[in-house]
Amino acid sequence: MDELTTGAFARATGLTRKALRLYDDLDLLRPVRTDPVTGYRYYAAAQLSVARRVAWLRRVGMPLARIRACSDLSRAELAVVVRDWWAQEEAAGVERRALVAALVEALEEDDMPESDGRATLRLRCGAASAQGPVRDRQQDSAGGDER
């Protein structure tokens, strides 16, 4: 069979019909033919591998814009892109985890400062120092306050 109906193509790829419409609108996965009367879409069997690739990338959370940008890459090139993207996601996750922990702590302590719509940052800091081998007494200092 040269062409698959939208339903058959969706079942074969694990994508929904709604996703296929979206990917068509975004020029990510165009059908090979659209019926001029009914608007029904038909896909080529050769498009199955591309659609499955898109489905996998969406399942792992890659944004559509990034998927579109790497749609013409070889499997090896795509593997590098996915690895790099995931490293960025993990780094962002670490940052978000720290922010969430700070938020939860502030909420639990009922210590959320009132905000005027601008970002509010509360710093807790510390300092350590050593007198070193040259001086006979400590001369460094550090400080901090609520502001």
Side-chain angles (χ1 to χ4, degrees):
M1 179 185 289
D2 291 334
E3 291 182 352
L4 299 168
T5 64
T6 301
F9 193 75
R11 283 188 300 277
T13 60
L15 295 168
T16 64
R17 291 179 188 188
K18 182 178 180 181
L20 289 173
R21 281 192 305 276
L22 173 65
Y23 300 163
D24 181 13
D25 292 343
L26 295 174
D27 198 25
L28 183 60
L29 185 60
R30 291 267 188 208
V32 291
R33 181 171 69 87
T34 302
D35 186 283
V37 175
T38 65
Y40 206 75
R41 295 171 171 90
Y42 294 90
Y43 293 86
Q47 290 178 288
L48 286 170
S49 62
V50 173
R52 288 180 181 133
R53 175 189 282 196
V54 170
W56 267 106
L57 293 172
R58 288 300 296 148
R59 247 181 247 127
V60 299
M62 184 178 279
L64 288 170
R66 186 165 258 180
I67 293 172
R68 188 181 322 110
C70 61
S71 62
D72 293 331
L73 298 179
S74 70
R75 292 169 62 111
E77 291 168 328
L78 183 60
V80 171
V81 168
V82 171
R83 190 177 304 116
D84 292 346
W85 165 76
W86 187 244
Q88 292 169 357
E89 287 295 305
E90 285 182 321
V94 168
E95 288 179 30
R96 285 192 304 269
R97 185 178 301 118
L99 289 172
V100 167
L103 173 61
V104 167
E105 182 181 338
L107 291 168
E108 289 174 345
E109 294 176 0
D110 195 25
D111 196 21
M112 286 292 294
E114 294 297 320
S115 176
D116 59 1
R118 293 180 289 182
T120 303
L121 178 64
R122 178 177 222 174
L123 295 177
R124 293 183 182 167
C125 59
S129 184
Q131 81 184 44
V134 176
R135 296 191 175 98
D136 58 355
R137 60 176 227 232
Q138 184 62 33
Q139 295 178 341
D140 297 332
S141 65
D145 62 36
E146 290 290 320
R147 301 182 82 51

